Amino acid sequence: DDGNCCYISGCTDATAFNYNSNACYDDGSCIAVSLGCTDSSALNYDVNANTDDASCCYLGGCMDATAFNYDSTACYDDGSCIAVALGCTDSSMFNYDSTANTDDGSCVPYIYGCMDSTMFNYNADANTDNGSCIAYAYGCIDNTATNYDSSSNTDDGSCYYNPGCTDSAAVNYDSSYDYDDGSCAYNPGCTNSGAFNYDSTADIDDGNCCYISGCTDATAFNYNSNACYDDGSCIAVSLGCTDSSALNYD
């Protein structure tokens, strides 16, 4: 016996993870060192590591310096990086972009008005229609004119100030009229259907309508000087004695 009998087996490789300094016989159980974070509570825990290399990280975040949400204090990239999206980030603005995360100074405020170019109150500066559009309403907008139209908003040159009959052939023609109102008359007469001398063919009243009927014959017994219409009631004068007490009463 040379005095080298060995009774302890194990890994005799001093560079191995499980090196056993007491072993005198290598049993093939050596495991290579695998560096990494061995703390299972760390973000970068390495299940394959058997030797902690002090790299354990407990603060996750975006580690891409070009990203919108870059976190300079993060030691572990958790895949949360968001790319920069330029646009207007003010939700009170007309061109607010809900997908933008970085304001580029392009915000435009709301400008309310009528956006229909065919309307009377079209506003070329408006970017938001507020339902205020008013259609063109043509007519006379001069409030001193006879035909002033308060509902009009655009003058069509139709204003007139002295309407009447402009036909010189009519009985009521007047050269001072500037607009023919359809009142021209050519056949004067009584236009009141309640008068005795009503004339259905008359288109203008001549002021001679008669409302008192009676006998208009001045030589008749019952002549009525107030009557203007003879109703056929005239009685001829019959001379004789009208005293019923007389012997020759007729």
Side-chain angles (χ1 to χ4, degrees), residues 4 10-13 16 23 43 55 115 121 132-134 146 168 173-174 188 200 206:
N4 291 322
C11 175
T12 61
D13 183 352
L43 294 173
S55 66
M115 297 180 66
N121 61 330
S132 65
C133 288
I134 300 172
T146 302
S168 59
Y173 166 69
D174 188 331
S200 62
D206 60 3

Side-chain angles (χ1 to χ4, degrees), residues 115-198:
M115 297 180 66
D116 186 342
S117 61
T118 67
M119 292 291 157
F120 168 71
N121 61 330
Y122 167 62
N123 184 355
D125 296 324
N127 55 35
T128 305
D129 196 286
N130 61 355
S132 65
C133 288
I134 300 172
Y136 281 97
Y138 296 95
C140 176
I141 60 175
D142 183 354
N143 61 10
T144 65
T146 302
N147 63 327
Y148 166 65
D149 184 357
S150 61
S151 64
S152 296
N153 54 39
T154 305
D155 197 279
D156 60 359
S158 66
C159 291
Y160 58 82
Y161 304 84
N162 189 25
C165 176
T166 61
D167 184 355
S168 59
V171 295
N172 59 333
Y173 166 69
D174 188 331
S175 61
S176 66
Y177 296 144
D178 61 358
Y179 176 77
D180 195 290
D181 61 1
S183 65
C184 288
Y186 305 87
N187 185 30
C190 177
T191 59
N192 190 329
S193 61
F196 288 110
N197 61 333
Y198 166 65

Side-chain angles (χ1 to χ4, degrees), residues 8-192:
I8 301 174
S9 66
C11 175
T12 61
D13 183 352
T15 64
F17 166 70
N18 59 334
Y19 167 64
N20 186 351
S21 60
N22 294 317
C24 54
Y25 176 76
D26 193 290
D27 59 3
S29 64
C30 288
I31 300 171
V33 171
S34 177
L35 299 175
C37 175
T38 59
D39 185 348
S40 61
S41 66
L43 294 173
N44 61 334
Y45 167 64
D46 185 354
V47 68
N48 295 313
N50 54 36
T51 303
D52 195 278
D53 60 0
S55 66
C56 288
C57 174
Y58 302 91
L59 179 61
C62 174
M63 297 180 68
D64 183 350
T66 66
F68 166 70
N69 60 331
Y70 167 64
D71 185 355
S72 61
T73 64
C75 57
Y76 176 78
D77 196 303
D78 59 4
S80 65
C81 288
I82 300 172
V84 170
L86 299 175
C88 175
T89 59
D90 186 342
S91 61
S92 68
M93 291 292 156
F94 166 71
N95 60 331
Y96 166 64
D97 185 355
S98 61
T99 64
N101 54 38
T102 304
D103 198 280
D104 60 0
S106 66
C107 289
V108 176
Y110 282 96
I111 302 176
Y112 297 95
C114 174
M115 297 180 66
D116 186 342
S117 61
T118 67
M119 292 291 157
F120 168 71
N121 61 330
Y122 167 62
N123 184 355
D125 296 324
N127 55 35
T128 305
D129 196 286
N130 61 355
S132 65
C133 288
I134 300 172
Y136 281 97
Y138 296 95
C140 176
I141 60 175
D142 183 354
N143 61 10
T144 65
T146 302
N147 63 327
Y148 166 65
D149 184 357
S150 61
S151 64
S152 296
N153 54 39
T154 305
D155 197 279
D156 60 359
S158 66
C159 291
Y160 58 82
Y161 304 84
N162 189 25
C165 176
T166 61
D167 184 355
S168 59
V171 295
N172 59 333
Y173 166 69
D174 188 331
S175 61
S176 66
Y177 296 144
D178 61 358
Y179 176 77
D180 195 290
D181 61 1
S183 65
C184 288
Y186 305 87
N187 185 30
C190 177
T191 59
N192 190 329

